[in-house]
Every structure is written in C-alpha cells, then in structure tokens.
C-alpha cells in the first residue's frame, strides 16, 4: 500500500495590480495575498504534505517584485519537499521564472508538451506541461495517455498538474475535454485556471484560487489537499 498527501494549489495571482483600488489599498491586498501563500505553506509543513503541485498562474503577470520572488524561494526551501509548478497563461515560462534562484526541490514545467518528473522516494511521478506564451490553443493533455506502468512498480502514484480550460473548448487557455481526463491514466489530475472551482470530477479537481480578488469570485476559497492510496495497481482519492 502506497499513501501520500499532496497540496494542490494554483491561481494565486501574486502581485496582482488591483487597479480599481487606491495605491495604499492595492499594497495592502498584495501583502494579504503574500500572507495567504505563507499560511498555506506553513499548513503544508505542519500537516505531513508529501508533495506540492502548483497548477499555473502563481503570478498575475510575467513580472513580479523581488520581495515576492524571494518569499517564494524561501518558503519552498523551508517546505523542503518536492514542489512542481506548471506555468499558466498569466505567468508563462521565460524571464520571470529564469531569473529566480529556486531551491533544488522545485521543478518548473514550462514547455507546452507533456513532461515527466519522478520522485522514487515517494513512489510517485508527476506529468504536466506549461504555457510558454499567453495562449495555448490545445492542451497537450488532450488525447494523451500516460505509458503503462512497469509491472514491478504498479503501485507508483501517477499525478498530472496543468493549467487548462475544461469549460470552453474554443478557449485559448489550453482547452481540455473531460474525456481526455478520464482516459489519460493518471491517479489524480491537479487543474488550474477556473477560479470558482466546479465540483471534483472522477479523479480530477480544480483548486480554485487562494483568495477572491474581485466581486465575481465570491464563496469559499483556498487550496486542495488530496489523500491518495494505491494498492494492487488501484488508486483511491
């Protein structure tokens, strides 16, 4: 029996401009978003989280303050366990991510193609893709199926993390069908992009956003904690 507990988050939109607020109010809200991120990472450290998945739009744009970048690097180092980040349409791979000295436990998935990173100590592998521009007309997960697991490691937990739009198939934000989610062969798919998260699917979920940033984002907000058990090749989330 393999068991792990993961943090699934995304759509933090750190360093949002908050144009509708005064300069002072905007700065307060930026600090509140940073504090929410810090609280989330503290919770992860204190509650035996094995792995953290960030499903895109960690930042609100391709630019971020030095203070925010330093905060992320420090919190990820303090967490000490694997962190996998899939870039989103607001924070595509490029100068922003290349300029951060992240600790060795952080992996950035920033290419619009399916990639894999393996964590043998966790009996886990993570697949995913990232945006390298603001538009992605098709999700690389669409029609993709994970290779069959090796017979001797049938209980390895297989995760997917990505930023995708399952609500609008004409979207330029990596449209993805629910059928592809069913067929890809993952034990759990950590999705980002839709802030008012719909109910969990069969083995997938949107994390929603950490905090609502406007009046169109009411209701409970936060992140997901997924507990995954796998035995005899069968997983339960």
């Amino acid at each position: 029996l393999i068991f792990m507990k993961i943090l699934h988050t995304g759509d933090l939109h750190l360093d949002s401009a908050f144009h509708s607020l005064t300069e002072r109010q905007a700065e307060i809200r930026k600090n509140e978003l940073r504090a929410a991120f810090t609280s989330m990472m503290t919770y992860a450290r204190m509650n035996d989280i094995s792995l953290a998945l960030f499903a895109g739009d960690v930042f609100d744009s391709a630019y971020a303050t030095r203070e925010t970048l330093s905060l992320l690097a420090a919190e990820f180092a303090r967490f000490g366990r694997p962190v996998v980040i899939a870039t989103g349409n607001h924070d595509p791979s490029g100068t922003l991510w290349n300029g951060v000295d992240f600790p060795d436990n952080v992996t950035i998935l920033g290419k619009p193609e399916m990639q894999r990173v393996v964590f043998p100590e966790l009996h886990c592998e993570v697949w995913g893709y990232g945006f390298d521009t603001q538009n992605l007309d098709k999700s690389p997960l669409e029609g993709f199926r994970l290779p069959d697991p090796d017979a001797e490691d049938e209980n390895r937990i297989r995760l997917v993390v990505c930023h995708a739009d399952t609500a609008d198939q004409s979207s330029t934000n990596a449209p993805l069908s629910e059928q592809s989610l069913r067929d890809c062969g993952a034990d759990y798919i950590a999705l980002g992009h839709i802030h008012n998260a719909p109910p969990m699917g069969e083995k997938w979920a949107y994390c929603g956003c950490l905090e609502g940033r406007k009046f169109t984002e009411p209701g409970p907000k936060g992140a997901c904690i997924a507990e995954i058990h796998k035995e005899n090749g069968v997983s339960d989330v």
Side-chain angles (χ1 to χ4, degrees):
L1 173 67
I2 303 297
F3 168 77
M4 68 184 308
K5 187 159 58 170
I6 67 171
L7 168 67
H8 165 202
T9 186
D11 293 295
L12 282 68
H13 290 275
L14 295 171
D15 284 343
S16 291
F18 295 108
H19 290 299
S20 64
L21 303 179
T22 66
E23 183 177 349
R24 174 59 179 159
Q25 290 170 331
E27 191 59 35
I28 290 172
R29 287 296 294 123
K30 290 178 184 180
N31 286 332
E32 288 173 343
L33 277 178
R34 295 186 191 108
F37 166 75
T38 300
S39 295
M40 178 182 69
M41 296 307 299
T42 299
Y43 178 92
R45 288 201 317 274
M46 302 292 289
N47 286 274
D48 298 320
I49 299 297
S50 307
L51 171 75
L53 301 178
F54 285 74
D57 288 0
V58 173
F59 303 105
D60 190 57
S61 72
Y63 304 94
T65 63
R66 189 181 303 274
E67 178 184 5
T68 299
L69 295 174
S70 297
L71 174 66
L72 260 69
E75 287 296 334
F76 290 154
R78 194 173 291 120
F79 177 58
R81 282 150 266 175
V83 174
V84 181
I85 301 171
T87 56
N89 60 300
H90 276 259
D91 58 358
S93 59
T95 304
L96 172 63
W97 295 102
N98 295 341
V100 184
D101 187 18
F102 282 123
D104 291 341
N105 60 314
V106 177
T107 300
I108 309 293
L109 302 178
K111 297 179 181 179
E113 59 191 48
M114 293 300 292
Q115 304 155 76
R116 181 180 77 148
V117 57
V118 180
F119 302 103
E121 70 281 8
L122 297 177
H123 301 284
C124 168
E125 61 185 41
V126 177
W127 292 78
Y129 63 84
F131 283 63
D132 61 356
T133 65
Q134 291 184 337
N135 296 324
L136 191 54
D137 292 334
K138 180 181 177 181
S139 168
L141 185 58
E142 183 68 32
F144 181 87
R145 182 167 179 84
L146 276 60
D148 291 336
D150 298 331
E152 64 271 17
D153 200 9
E154 65 174 1
N155 286 331
R156 176 184 285 178
I157 292 175
R158 304 200 297 169
L159 308 171
V160 171
V161 58
C162 62
H163 203 71
D165 191 343
T166 59
D168 180 4
Q169 293 304 297
S170 63
S171 170
T172 58
N173 296 313
L176 179 61
S177 67
E178 288 194 0
Q179 191 60 50
S180 287
L181 294 173
R182 294 186 184 95
D183 294 344
C184 76
D187 297 306
Y188 180 76
I189 304 164
L191 296 170
H193 181 62
I194 298 178
H195 291 191
N196 293 324
M200 181 177 175
E202 295 165 27
K203 286 194 176 181
W204 66 84
Y206 277 97
C207 56
C209 53
L210 193 57
E211 284 193 2
R213 296 178 303 128
K214 45 193 175 183
F215 292 116
T216 56
E217 296 176 353
K221 294 291 180 284
C224 296
I225 302 296
E227 295 186 358
I228 304 174
H229 304 77
K230 195 166 186 179
E231 186 172 16
N232 298 324
V234 179
S235 61
D236 179 57
V237 182

